[in-house]
Amino acid sequence: MINKIIFCGTPEFSVPVLKILNEKYSIELIITQPDKKKGRKQKISFPEVKKTGIELGLEIIQPSNINSDEVLEKISDIGPDVIITAAYGGYLKKNVLDLPKYGCWNLHPSLLPYFRGASPIRSAIINGDKFTGNTIYRMTRKMDAGPIIYQWKTEIGVNEDYGMLHDRLSNHGAEDMISALEILKRDGFDYLKKQNHSEASYCEKIFNNAQIDWSKSADEIMNTIRAYAPKPGAFTLLRGKRVKLIKVRPSDIESDVEPGTILRVTRDEGILVKCQDKVVSVTEVQREGKKIMKSFEFNLGARISENEKFIQE
């Protein structure tokens, strides 16, 4: 039986899992990252999991080190059946992994062993992958390398950006975790499948905006824009100022002008710009410090000239 659960998570991605576990099981404790200062005024910002935990009336701790003796003692006193993690943002050492009766289980938004690491959703889009999914696996000391108990596979939409795919994987991940726990209760560890480590790929954490390199192919550029949309946004330079490109689609227009050249701006097509091989249509943009807007509306103020160019820093 699984009665007592400790949940570890931090950002918005973790919230659907927390909510569904709270509905179906007994969450004894939430562990999330410490509050942070954000923005120009450096206001204290709570993690999304903390906000939800407060609403649900659950006990919350925010240790700077989950592996500390103090946290270990608290976990031991609770005696959890499982520890569930989803985008927690901290490393659980062996002394924590060994505490729960039925182990520690993580929700990872990729089809492991592909894209182990911190940015699997963006990486799948940048890579031009047709499919991705969620994996529930038993945590071991090696990152994202533990045996798998459940996977869900889904097609990545041709116009699906990071924000859309993030939300879809997050919401489905809640259902996936419940399915995994049902398997664990029914079959125990017999259902686990080892990962093929020789097929593993890795992705790095993405911190900064991506600058568009117009000498690349249209597919590469569209994938980059989708992978960074809506935030933090892939950017280019127009007249020395950054402009983030939010939505993009392929165009049938043909042109032999230099990459980065803007062919025209229309209400229906947005900004038509040449890549290394083809033309793409940028339909939504964002100026620094401004809201996202349609490209045609942006051009009412910018008044882009024919054959003006986007450039790189």
Side-chain angles (χ1 to χ4, degrees), residues 7-19 30-36 38 44-58 60-62 86-88 166-167 170 231:
F7 180 77
C8 303
T10 301
E12 185 180 359
F13 181 86
S14 317
V15 170
V17 182
L18 170 59
K19 287 182 175 179
I30 292 174
I31 303 177
T32 189
Q33 292 294 320
D35 300 338
K36 291 184 177 180
K38 287 188 176 181
I44 297 296
S45 175
F46 290 178
E48 292 300 318
V49 161
K50 180 179 179 178
K51 295 176 185 177
T52 303
I54 292 172
E55 293 173 1
L56 297 174
L58 300 173
I60 304 165
I61 61 172
Q62 297 175 270
Y88 168 59
H166 169 280
D167 291 351
S170 172
K231 294 180 180 180

Side-chain angles (χ1 to χ4, degrees), residues 150-283:
Y150 188 85
Q151 276 191 326
W152 172 70
K153 184 177 181 180
T154 185
E155 188 172 2
I156 301 174
V158 292
N159 295 316
E160 197 165 24
D161 63 26
Y162 168 78
M164 298 172 187
L165 186 56
H166 169 280
D167 291 351
R168 199 156 62 83
L169 292 174
S170 172
N171 290 325
H172 206 284
E175 301 174 28
D176 298 335
M177 185 59 72
I178 296 303
S179 297
L181 291 178
E182 290 300 315
I183 293 170
L184 180 62
K185 289 190 292 185
R186 185 184 70 235
D187 300 326
F189 299 145
D190 294 337
Y191 198 85
L192 295 181
K193 179 183 177 181
K194 291 183 179 180
Q195 295 187 41
N196 184 346
H197 302 304
S198 66
E199 295 181 349
S201 59
Y202 298 86
C203 51
E204 300 295 329
K205 188 171 183 178
I206 297 174
F207 292 97
N208 300 317
N209 299 355
Q211 182 172 188
I212 297 299
D213 180 355
W214 294 104
S215 68
K216 291 187 176 181
S217 71
D219 285 343
E220 289 177 294
I221 288 171
M222 287 190 292
N223 289 343
T224 299
I225 292 171
R226 289 167 51 226
Y228 283 81
K231 294 180 180 180
F235 74 92
T236 188
L237 291 185
L238 179 66
R239 301 167 191 162
K241 294 184 178 180
R242 288 190 179 192
V243 178
K244 294 181 180 180
L245 312 182
I246 306 301
K247 286 193 179 295
V248 64
R249 63 178 185 236
S251 171
D252 294 331
I253 301 297
E254 295 183 1
S255 175
D256 58 0
V257 298
E258 291 185 3
T261 301
I262 299 169
L263 305 181
R264 61 176 178 264
V265 185
T266 71
R267 185 181 297 275
D268 295 331
E269 298 168 314
I271 302 172
L272 291 173
V273 55
K274 180 68 162 51
C275 307
Q276 187 274 326
D277 54 347
K278 299 176 182 178
V279 173
V280 296
S281 171
V282 179
T283 58

